[in-house]
Amino acid sequence: MQVRNSPTRYGVISMCLHWAMAIAVYAMFGLGLWMVTLSYYDGWYHQAPELHKSIGFVLMTALVVRLLWRRVSPPPPALKSQTRLTRIGAKAAHLALYAVLFAILISGYLISTADGKPISVFGLFDVPALLADAGTQADLAGSVHLWLAWGVVSLSALHGLAALKHHFIDKDATLTRMLGKASPDSGA
């Protein structure tokens, strides 16, 4: 398996970042929905948010690494069989996913640091609070965070459905390229 992306397939680093982040985003969504249902006396009441914050920081780091990796190892070009509208839609969807992910992570940071305290990442190190305005910041960021979380889950579900459509209906290599298989129909 190749490390870098090629004109016909994604490399192992891009695939690992893609699938690990997809799993983490859905896990974080589930964790977030679950933790807001906990009562003060539940054993996970304090632990779940700390876990959520730590994973969120790891996700932010992975997102930055992923974007830097795209500069070092650009993704394969769109398939020749894809229409111009499909290519534009795919670029717009990817940009939207990246933008919403960044916005979720920033809003999570603002919620977590609203009281002026740093975020402890798995107890290993702290991420300092740069902005702090307690109630107002936390409330607004919390609402934004929730809506963006639903947005990224919806967008990623559409992304997955589009990949399945390409695979089963269009019978092209869009999905298989993200699974490490070469595409004979590559290039712009």
Side-chain angles (χ1 to χ4, degrees), residues 79 81-82 163 166-176 185:
L79 299 173
S81 61
Q82 293 175 343
H166 279 284
H167 187 73
F168 292 110
I169 296 173
D170 299 343
K171 302 207 184 298
D172 69 24
T174 300
L175 178 60
T176 56
D185 178 28

Side-chain angles (χ1 to χ4, degrees), residues 2-146:
Q2 63 193 31
V3 173
R4 294 176 63 116
N5 298 332
S6 76
T8 59
R9 74 178 90 177
Y10 288 90
V12 69
I13 292 176
S14 293
M15 288 187 297
C16 287
L17 286 168
H18 176 272
W19 294 110
M21 286 184 70
I23 291 166
V25 164
Y26 277 89
M28 288 286 280
F29 183 72
L31 177 60
L33 290 179
W34 173 69
M35 72 183 193
V36 298
T37 67
L38 298 174
S39 73
Y40 181 79
Y41 298 103
D42 192 296
W44 279 93
Y45 182 79
H46 294 288
Q47 294 171 341
E50 294 307 313
L51 180 62
H52 194 79
K53 293 174 198 178
S54 292
I55 295 171
F57 179 80
V58 172
L59 263 173
M60 176 61 103
T61 304
L63 185 56
V64 170
V65 168
R66 187 170 177 185
L67 290 173
L68 291 172
W69 181 250
R70 283 179 65 92
R71 301 286 290 162
V72 172
S73 182
L79 299 173
K80 291 177 185 175
S81 61
Q82 293 175 343
T83 66
R84 183 172 184 270
L85 184 60
T86 298
R87 294 173 193 216
I88 291 169
K91 283 194 183 295
H94 282 101
L95 284 172
L97 279 167
Y98 287 128
V100 173
L101 278 171
F102 265 118
I104 286 172
L105 295 164
I106 291 167
S107 65
Y109 171 81
L110 293 174
I111 296 165
S112 301
T113 60
D115 59 1
K117 295 178 185 167
I119 298 170
S120 174
V121 180
F122 298 112
L124 300 173
F125 60 91
D126 289 342
V127 177
L130 301 177
L131 302 170
D133 184 14
T136 309
Q137 177 178 311
D139 291 343
L140 177 60
S143 295
V144 168
H145 194 72
L146 176 63

